[in-house]
Amino acid sequence: MKLFKGEKASAALSRRGFLKKAGAVAVSAALACTMFGCSSGASSSASSAAGTAAELDYSDWNAVLEAAKGQTVTFYGWGGSEPRNTWIEESLVPAMKEKYDITLELVGMDINDILTQLSGDKQANTEEGTIDFIWINGENFYTAKENGYLWGPFTDYLPNFNDYVDAASPEVEYDFGSPTEGYEAPYGKTQMEMWVNSEVVPTPPTTVEEFKAFCEANPGKVTYPQPGDFTGTAFISCLISGVIGADEFEKLSMMDDPTTEEVKEIIEPGLEYLRSLNPSLWNQGQTFPADSTTMGTMYADGEVIMNMGYGDPQALVDAGTLPATTKPFIFNTGTVGNSNFMAIAYNAPHKAAALVAINEIMSPEMQLEQYEVLGNLTVLDTAKLPEADQQAFADVQLGASQLPSEELLSHRVTEAAGPVIPIIEQLWLDEVVGK
């Protein structure tokens, strides 16, 4: 079991796992490209695609569809959710082939390795890479956009974005406080939830005060992934927000050039609260699970009695991974939520196919499937949908391990801005872990 033992946050900032079902060959090829460079003349087919891309009018959607036919498009990003992997492979991949004659290939790669590969491409002046589009958000999007790793703006080319998305919504215009400016399109809307086995924990905590008492009543049986892991950072954000108040916490979402002192001044009561939890936590807060995958294993093994993540656990219950008695809950002071996004690499070899894939993921059909199968809140403005699609969303029957979307959205807290996140993580590392 991997454990966090106090390494520097910059070295431990692994926020995405590897996709188990993605072939090791695909990952090795991508890493080899990083190590040795991918020349613009790597293959005749790639060169042909580049020539087509240079001549293509992306505002002509029919021309984009025609150019995308027969292309193989790579989808890079987090692969730590088995239910999502299954949905992509069983729904999205066949749809792309049948509707558009596009082969979609998943490449599970840690987001830091993706950014490293794009950085290497930039330094080597690689005009054609291996990455087409990416599941990305937060500070990783901020970093990629600031360093010119992304192609765009492109959202105006997408029919489903133009027809069904509220482009003026703060959760579309901004990603962790960073303006999206058309360089990424929303994928799915999620919110932090916690869950327990109701047979073990009949009454879960609903306030930060109750959560502290819950930890004290179950010494060594509660913990959270180390911040730096996406889930760990989000969970301590929920706790900090509960301590200082949502309005105070949301000041962090508007900071574009924060200092450590400015962030600390806002969250100090939350840091003190986190320190106060340590004596009751697993391993007395001296070490923390390295990531959400490790945390999930500990929960499944009964080593801890509570788990958490973005979205509900219904898919895991349906798969038999968790018992039917699994019940989700949130704090009445709110939990952080965000929209996941998709971006296109600046040197993507198959930009047309990437546009078609992103547009398909944003279609009412695929958004509805994500809500039904994965419990993801839709990124579409349902008021803009045809009446039949609106009704289809309204008719979705929630499982026993799901919370109503109305309850989640009424307790939604805006996450901290991208530049703030690493400061919070470093403050946790310096002032909470082991204290």
Side-chain angles (χ1 to χ4, degrees):
M1 181 182 296
K2 293 192 298 178
L3 300 177
F4 174 66
K5 299 181 181 295
E7 299 93 331
K8 287 295 182 183
S10 59
L13 203 62
S14 176
R15 301 176 72 79
R16 299 295 187 222
F18 282 88
L19 176 62
K20 295 179 183 178
K21 293 187 178 181
V25 173
V27 175
S28 298
L31 292 176
C33 222
T34 301
M35 294 170 63
F36 302 113
C38 296
S39 69
S40 58
S43 70
S44 58
S45 61
S47 297
S48 175
T52 302
E55 301 165 4
L56 185 61
D57 177 4
Y58 291 103
S59 65
D60 182 345
W61 189 247
N62 287 330
V64 170
L65 291 172
E66 186 62 31
K69 284 183 180 178
Q71 291 188 347
T72 296
V73 65
T74 55
F75 185 9
Y76 276 64
W78 181 50
S81 169
E82 203 62 28
R84 178 169 294 281
N85 299 343
T86 301
W87 173 78
I88 291 173
E89 293 178 347
E90 294 184 355
S91 292
L92 181 60
V93 171
M96 292 302 299
K97 190 64 178 177
E98 293 165 10
K99 295 171 71 172
Y100 309 108
D101 190 23
I102 293 172
T103 301
L104 186 145
E105 291 185 353
L106 290 164
V107 182
M109 184 180 286
D110 184 278
I111 187 62
N112 293 317
D113 292 330
I114 294 172
L115 296 181
T116 297
Q117 179 166 327
L118 292 172
S119 175
D121 284 355
K122 270 284 187 183
Q123 293 175 20
N125 295 317
T126 303
E127 295 180 4
E128 255 178 49
T130 58
I131 300 171
D132 285 312
F133 72 110
I134 310 159
W135 183 2
I136 191 171
N137 68 354
E139 66 269 34
N140 299 309
F141 167 70
Y142 174 83
T143 297
K145 180 164 157 284
E146 286 296 301
N147 286 281
Y149 300 160
L150 304 179
W151 178 72
F154 68 85
T155 53
D156 283 349
Y157 302 142
L158 306 173
N160 287 327
F161 183 91
N162 294 326
D163 292 345
Y164 303 128
V165 173
D166 180 3
S169 165
E171 288 198 79
V172 175
E173 278 196 309
Y174 297 91
D175 182 357
F176 280 68
S178 179
T180 56
E181 299 178 323
Y183 280 83
E184 59 179 0
Y187 180 5
K189 188 182 289 186
T190 59
Q191 191 164 333
M192 195 71 182
E193 298 182 41
M194 291 75 72
W195 55 85
V196 294
N197 184 337
S198 60
E199 291 187 341
V200 177
V201 182
T203 307
T206 58
T207 68
V208 289
E209 294 80 12
E210 289 180 2
F211 180 69
K212 183 176 180 181
F214 174 70
C215 294
E216 292 170 346
N218 298 278
K221 301 293 286 183
V222 183
T223 189
Y224 52 85
Q226 55 138 351
D229 170 83
F230 192 72
T231 300
T233 300
F235 183 68
I236 68 165
S237 294
C238 296
L239 295 176
I240 293 170
S241 174
V243 171
I244 68 176
D247 289 343
E248 189 72 7
F249 184 84
E250 287 182 341
K251 291 179 180 178
L252 302 171
S253 70
M254 296 178 281
M255 292 182 164
D256 58 3
D257 189 22
T259 66
T260 298
E261 292 72 22
E262 289 170 338
V263 174
K264 184 177 179 181
E265 183 178 357
I266 293 173
I267 71 169
E268 178 57 48
L271 295 174
E272 175 57 34
Y273 172 85
L274 293 173
R275 286 191 290 270
S276 75
L277 296 179
N278 282 344
S280 302
L281 297 182
W282 176 81
N283 208 22
Q284 297 183 320
Q286 296 297 312
T287 58
F288 289 77
D291 50 40
S292 58
T293 301
T294 303
M295 181 76 179
T297 300
M298 294 170 65
Y299 177 72
D301 291 345
E303 193 171 358
V304 293
I305 58 173
M306 188 190 90
N307 201 1
M308 70 285 293
Y310 266 101
D312 60 65
Q314 186 66 52
L316 296 173
V317 172
D318 293 341
T321 305
L322 296 179
T325 48
T326 300
K327 299 296 180 185
F329 67 97
I330 57 175
F331 298 132
N332 60 18
T333 46
T335 56
V336 295
N338 67 52
S339 294
N340 297 307
F341 291 87
M342 300 166 287
I344 299 174
Y346 81 95
N347 60 351
H350 309 107
K351 293 183 176 71
L355 287 170
V356 176
I358 290 171
N359 190 67
E360 179 65 16
I361 290 170
M362 296 174 64
S363 68
E365 177 186 2
M366 288 297 169
Q367 288 289 305
L368 178 63
E369 281 198 20
Q370 287 191 76
Y371 184 44
E372 290 177 318
V373 177
L374 305 174
N376 274 20
L377 304 172
T378 182
V379 300
L380 306 180
D381 181 352
T382 54
K384 293 186 174 185
L385 295 177
E387 188 174 334
D389 290 320
Q390 292 186 39
Q391 191 61 48
F393 276 96
D395 289 344
V396 172
Q397 297 296 308
L398 298 179
S401 299
Q402 287 179 284
L403 295 174
S405 60
E406 297 81 3
E407 180 178 352
L408 290 168
L409 294 175
S410 66
H411 291 84
R412 194 172 179 87
V413 178
T414 304
E415 289 188 294
V420 175
I421 294 291
I423 295 177
I424 293 176
E425 292 167 347
Q426 191 65 48
L427 284 169
W428 176 86
L429 177 65
D430 294 339
E431 303 196 14
V432 175
V433 61
K435 301 295 191 289

